[in-house]
Amino acid sequence: MDDAAVLKRRGYLLGINLGEGSYAKVKSAYSERLKFNVAIKIIDRKKAPADFLEKFLPREIEILAMLNHCSIIKTYEIFETSHGKVYIVMELAVQGDLLELIKTRGALHEDEARKKFHQLSLAIKYCHDLDVVHRDLKCDNLLLDKDFNIKLSDFSFSKRCLRDDSGRMALSKTFCGSPAYAAPEVLQGIPYQPKVYDIWSLGVILYIMVCGSMPYDDSNIKKMLRIQKEHRVNFPRSKHLTGECKDLIYHMLQPDVNRRLHIDEILSHCWMQPKARGSPSVAINKEGESSRGTEPLWTPEPGSDKKSATKLEPEGEAQPQAQPETKPEGTAMQMSRQSEILGFPSKPSTMETEEGPPQQPPETRAQ
Amino acid sequence: MERHTSHPNRKVPAKEEANAVPLCRAKPSPSYINLQASSPPATFLNIQTTKLPSVDHKPKECLGLLECMYANLQLQTQLAQQQMAVLEHLQASVTQLAPGRGSNNSSLPALSPNPLLNHLPQFSK
């Protein structure tokens, strides 16, 4: 029995192909029960590798069944036929994925990026609080609903973190993900903390959102790894990014896993806070699943929304909006204080803005 | 305090601030996992010569994702080589059956009993 017949019996009218891999494909369908279109991932057990069937697929199914968050693609139904095909019926994201959006429209304005990144961060916090890690965070896996809200998808590499008797998280040894988004410890094959790995990928995603380009060129992995380990982040000056934004990215792309930001630190970072004046960047979770993180942590001064991040800075540190490249020292300070408050080791001397650590002479960048 | 450690008067030459490093545009990034560590099912690839790296036999300083990518490339290379071999055999068969008519023979489907053709669907991913 072909897919269309199987799905018809289940109340789905098969639509077009949305994507296809070597042993799985995704099709759209209309659900007669739900009365709207859905996406159905069809996995052919006969074509899938054994590891996938024995290890990753059961994990994915278990995790999909437990997740329920407005910024994560919903799973409506999972069933399997006697012919060895697994059908995962999911929410359909009609606006495609974030990568396509950025490729067609270019980098996002910071306000728009903030909104989307806030949604994504809330989704990751939700997962991490459940001890679920994604391990393949990338723009391709960030789908967009009709209102261009983020919907995290593809939990193929996800897993539930294991803890030892003392409650410490076990290190992962499955080196997975996408090279351009993979943390240096994963690229090197060092057993890693999976939640910390996710944070690195978030840093890459935010960079792509606001720059429209990749932070690291993965055409030369060796060189890429060297740049990552040197904590060099090159921001295109033409984008005029705020210091706060660069600060957040820089601290997510921290090669030292013990100093990389935690998801809570990301959510409380000054750049992440909603703006005043009803700007579109105000991240209102319209489904209201979580009030945490959507509440402003401080009240912006009237007319100072552009410099909101300086609320924690010493007086007089606000910089003219027209000179974003000169702001990082203030944000480094802010970040440092934030890190201190959170007990997070800080090293503002390595704060990077444009090309490399500002404390050092302008260095020769990637050859 | 930490403020002094930042760079209050940082003046990066304009040349440095410009995009001297060519930026790589946002692009798709394929996912990898060390699935190669185990043997694929028979229906996945029927390449007897394919040697997949095993985690158990990796040196201690394995390179994680890099090794996965390398193994994947090796696999793809071997696939391509196998495809070439199949096509060459196919071409030879056609030439033998229809001497002088070249490989653009429209009667190609008539060769279906050739066992080589049975391999084709497995390489068509």
Side-chain angles (χ1 to χ4, degrees):
Chain A
M1 193 183 296
D2 64 10
D3 293 331
V6 168
L7 290 167
K8 174 68 182 155
R9 287 175 59 171
R10 287 271 180 168
Y12 299 101
L13 303 177
L14 204 53
I16 61 168
N17 241 6
L18 298 174
E20 192 159 356
S22 54
Y23 49 83
K25 56 191 170 186
V26 182
K27 288 175 174 281
S28 69
Y30 176 77
S31 168
E32 294 173 324
R33 178 174 63 87
L34 299 170
K35 309 290 185 200
F36 54 73
N37 289 329
V38 295
I40 303 181
K41 184 174 179 179
I42 306 169
I43 299 160
D44 191 343
R45 282 185 177 275
K46 292 172 186 167
K47 293 180 182 173
D51 263 17
F52 170 79
L53 294 175
E54 293 161 11
K55 190 173 168 184
F56 298 105
L57 181 59
R59 279 180 182 172
E60 181 181 4
I61 290 174
E62 181 202 349
I63 287 169
L64 287 178
M66 68 186 283
L67 297 179
N68 181 18
H69 189 277
C70 66
S71 294
I72 298 176
I73 284 285
K74 287 188 178 15
T75 302
Y76 299 117
E77 186 180 14
I78 301 174
F79 58 90
E80 184 169 1
T81 66
S82 56
H83 301 90
K85 284 195 173 178
V86 178
Y87 298 82
I88 303 177
V89 183
M90 300 174 294
E91 180 181 2
L92 178 67
V94 296
Q95 294 291 0
D97 64 59
L98 181 64
L99 180 66
E100 284 306 312
L101 181 77
I102 292 171
K103 281 169 68 181
T104 53
R105 295 193 191 174
L108 308 180
H109 291 297
E110 281 194 28
D111 285 345
E112 181 62 20
R114 179 182 297 106
K115 178 184 175 185
K116 286 182 168 48
F117 193 70
H118 188 257
Q119 293 172 343
L120 173 60
S121 298
L122 286 177
I124 296 304
K125 175 171 173 53
Y126 171 81
C127 291
H128 285 190
D129 284 351
L130 290 170
D131 277 352
V132 169
V133 288
H134 189 280
R135 302 198 296 182
D136 196 17
L137 293 173
K138 56 181 177 178
C139 292
D140 325 37
N141 286 339
L142 303 180
L143 307 184
L144 301 165
D145 71 5
K146 63 179 171 48
D147 298 317
F148 290 91
N149 292 306
I150 290 287
K151 299 283 179 177
L152 177 58
S153 73
D154 196 351
F155 284 76
S156 303
F157 294 164
S158 65
K159 66 173 278 193
R160 292 198 74 179
C161 300
L162 300 174
R163 291 177 184 271
D164 61 20
D165 294 339
S166 61
R168 290 180 59 182
M169 202 75 73
L171 298 178
S172 291
K173 294 171 188 168
T174 302
F175 305 103
C176 56
S178 305
Y181 296 81
E185 65 269 21
V186 176
L187 290 171
Q188 292 173 96
I190 300 169
Y192 62 94
Q193 302 170 49
K195 289 183 184 178
V196 182
Y197 173 21
D198 275 350
I199 300 298
W200 177 279
S201 304
L202 287 180
V204 176
I205 289 170
L206 180 55
Y207 182 100
I208 296 170
M209 278 188 186
V210 295
C211 297
S213 56
M214 311 297 284
Y216 307 107
D217 180 4
D218 65 344
S219 62
N220 185 336
I221 300 280
K222 196 175 170 184
K223 190 170 87 176
M224 179 175 89
L225 186 57
R226 190 179 70 240
I227 292 170
Q228 290 175 344
K229 289 168 77 175
E230 290 171 357
H231 203 182
R232 290 160 61 188
V233 185
N234 175 46
F235 293 101
R237 188 168 184 257
S238 61
K239 300 298 177 193
H240 299 294
L241 301 179
T242 60
E244 296 87 346
C245 183
K246 288 187 280 193
D247 181 271
L248 176 56
I249 293 170
Y250 186 74
H251 285 89
M252 287 190 282
L253 297 179
Q254 165 62 260
D256 183 344
V257 294
N258 295 314
R259 294 168 56 202
R260 199 173 299 159
L261 294 183
H262 183 275
I263 189 64
D264 289 326
E265 292 171 305
I266 292 172
L267 282 163
S268 62
H269 189 276
C270 52
W271 184 78
M272 290 288 277
Q273 309 317 313
K275 302 292 187 184
R277 298 192 308 189
S279 124
S281 70
V282 175
I284 298 170
N285 190 327
K286 64 179 188 178
E287 296 189 35
E289 89 296 347
S290 167
S291 59
R292 179 173 43 179
T294 60
E295 288 291 316
L297 299 179
W298 45 270
T299 306
E301 293 175 1
S304 67
D305 55 334
K306 197 66 182 177
K307 192 51 191 170
S308 59
T310 61
K311 188 64 180 179
L312 296 177
E313 293 178 22
E315 291 179 8
E317 286 306 305
Q319 299 286 334
Q321 182 179 335
Q323 298 175 352
E325 279 73 27
T326 62
K327 291 167 71 174
E329 59 269 24
T331 56
M333 167 69 175
Q334 185 278 324
M335 187 62 213
S336 164
R337 293 182 60 188
Q338 185 180 49
S339 300
E340 284 176 1
I341 292 165
L342 295 167
F344 189 78
S346 63
K347 191 181 177 187
S349 62
T350 60
M351 173 63 196
E352 184 168 338
T353 55
E354 296 301 319
E355 307 296 343
Q359 282 287 295
Q360 300 166 2
E363 61 184 341
T364 308
R365 291 154 299 172
Q367 296 82 14
Chain B
M1 36 192 274
E2 283 78 5
R3 175 160 183 69
H4 300 298
T5 63
S6 64
H7 208 285
N9 295 313
R10 192 178 73 88
K11 287 182 180 176
V12 180
K15 194 166 62 177
E16 288 298 324
E17 290 191 346
N19 293 333
V21 174
L23 293 169
C24 181
R25 289 191 62 191
K27 61 177 183 179
S29 185
S31 300
Y32 292 91
I33 198 160
N34 45 354
L35 284 173
Q36 297 94 329
S38 65
S39 300
T43 50
F44 180 45
L45 291 173
N46 187 18
I47 306 174
Q48 60 275 36
T49 56
T50 301
K51 290 178 182 171
L52 300 167
S54 164
V55 168
D56 298 335
H57 299 102
K58 279 184 178 178
K60 287 176 184 173
E61 60 280 7
C62 67
L63 293 173
L65 204 54
L66 290 178
E67 284 215 352
C68 297
M69 294 167 66
Y70 177 69
N72 187 284
L73 282 174
Q74 275 191 319
L75 193 61
Q76 289 185 35
T77 304
Q78 287 167 349
L79 265 173
Q81 287 170 344
Q82 292 287 332
Q83 284 178 312
M84 281 300 294
V86 169
L87 288 172
E88 283 168 5
H89 279 90
L90 189 61
Q91 192 174 30
S93 301
V94 170
T95 306
Q96 273 185 348
L97 287 175
R101 291 173 63 185
S103 59
N104 293 330
N105 194 335
S106 60
S107 64
L108 197 59
L111 297 172
S112 58
N114 187 332
L116 283 171
L117 287 179
N118 297 333
H119 291 272
L120 283 175
Q122 295 173 352
F123 299 120
S124 62
K125 293 188 176 68

